[in-house]
Amino acid sequence: MTTLRLAIQKSGRLSEKSLSIIKECGISFRNSSKKLVAKCDNFPLEILYLRDDDIPGYVADGVADIGIVGENVLLEKEKQVALVKKLGFSKCRLSLAIPRGQNYNGVSDMQGKYIATSYPNILKAYFKDNNVTADVHEISGSVEIAPGIGLADAICDIVSTGSTLIGNGLKEVDVVMRSEAVLFSTEQLIAEKQAILDQLIFRIESVNKARKNKYIVLNAPINSVTQILDILPGMKSPTVTPLAEDDWFSVSSVIAEDDFWDIIEQIKAAGAEGILVMPIEKMIL
Ligand code: PRT
Ligand code: ZN
């Protein structure tokens, strides 16, 4: 039987969330990242645990069919692969940073400067786009200490909260790229594997949609129902059922997390009572 091979980070910032996506899709496997490969029990998927830097290359070579890494790593490795889907976690940015006391007037300030980074390809492309010629040097770890020890004028590194930069006397001055975890695949998957991937994407999308929505149930007197129905969206339209008590109804619907408090306040003002809000596990539309 055909099996799709997914490569994820063995241990690091992406590992836990990558695994939980698979679990939330209802796919079960023995969670042992000590092994190199894990076979899933109820879905034709095999999980390969690797260093994130190696994943784009393995997917490009067809050792794995699909992979999950940060967009920053995918871009840096410059491999021939196809982006399938942004996954919305591990959001960060790749930024230029300089010593706190220095001024910055724009990327042209980097002209002729010595810059340390673990992302030389992305940075060189950025400078090229901006007509800047700088001395880009690759270093693999602790990039943020380079200016302090006189090893570089500036750095280009991943920033999330910004506290690492502050702790090293640096300030973020330019965002080179924004990044998040992405699912990507070999350029040409055989039809059987593409079908498994499509199934996986469908499940991931159902889980993501569910996460962005809430199920809401409330009680309302007859004279409030019309007004409440105008406020509530619902997948098709809200469900209205009569309660045992005369002239009272139960209304249920699905609302988006983003509009949540707005809608709650409006329906309360319209006369809704006993409002229950529940998480949704999956949403199949
Ligand atoms: O061992 P392996 O090679 O597999 O892992 P790794 O050490 O190369 O990667 P890992 O686990 O550190 O990060 C994996 C991915 O997570 C990165 O490629 C990014 O896409 C994403 N990510 C999200 C981050 C961060 N946030 C992050 N904060 N990657 C690194 N950092 C580091 C950054 O390098 C800097 O040292 O955290 C520091 C900055 O954080 P703040 O919060 O102080 O700004
Ligand atoms: Zn790495």
Side-chain angles (χ1 to χ4, degrees), residues 156-167:
C156 177
D157 199 10
I158 298 290
V159 182
S160 163
T161 61
S163 61
T164 303
L165 293 182
I166 292 170

Side-chain angles (χ1 to χ4, degrees), residues 71-89:
E71 237 173 322
N72 49 308
V73 169
L74 193 61
L75 214 64
E76 180 60 26
K77 297 299 171 191
E78 298 182 328
K79 301 287 181 190
Q80 292 289 319
V81 291
L83 180 72
V84 174
K85 197 171 172 39
K86 295 192 180 200
L87 295 173
F89 65 86

Side-chain angles (χ1 to χ4, degrees), residues 226-256:
T226 323
Q227 202 187 338
I228 290 172
L229 292 186
D230 281 345
I231 301 164
L232 288 175
M235 288 215 284
K236 265 205 183 340
S237 74
T239 311
V240 183
T241 20
L243 294 184
E245 192 176 330
D246 274 353
D247 293 339
W248 274 80
F249 292 86
S250 166
V251 179
S252 55
S253 185
V254 172
I255 58 178

Side-chain angles (χ1 to χ4, degrees), residues 36-53:
L36 177 64
V37 189
K39 238 183 168 355
C40 298
D41 306 321
N42 55 355
F43 195 81
L45 188 75
E46 238 171 38
I47 301 173
L48 229 61
Y49 300 97
L50 299 167
R51 276 200 62 202
D52 67 346
D53 311 74

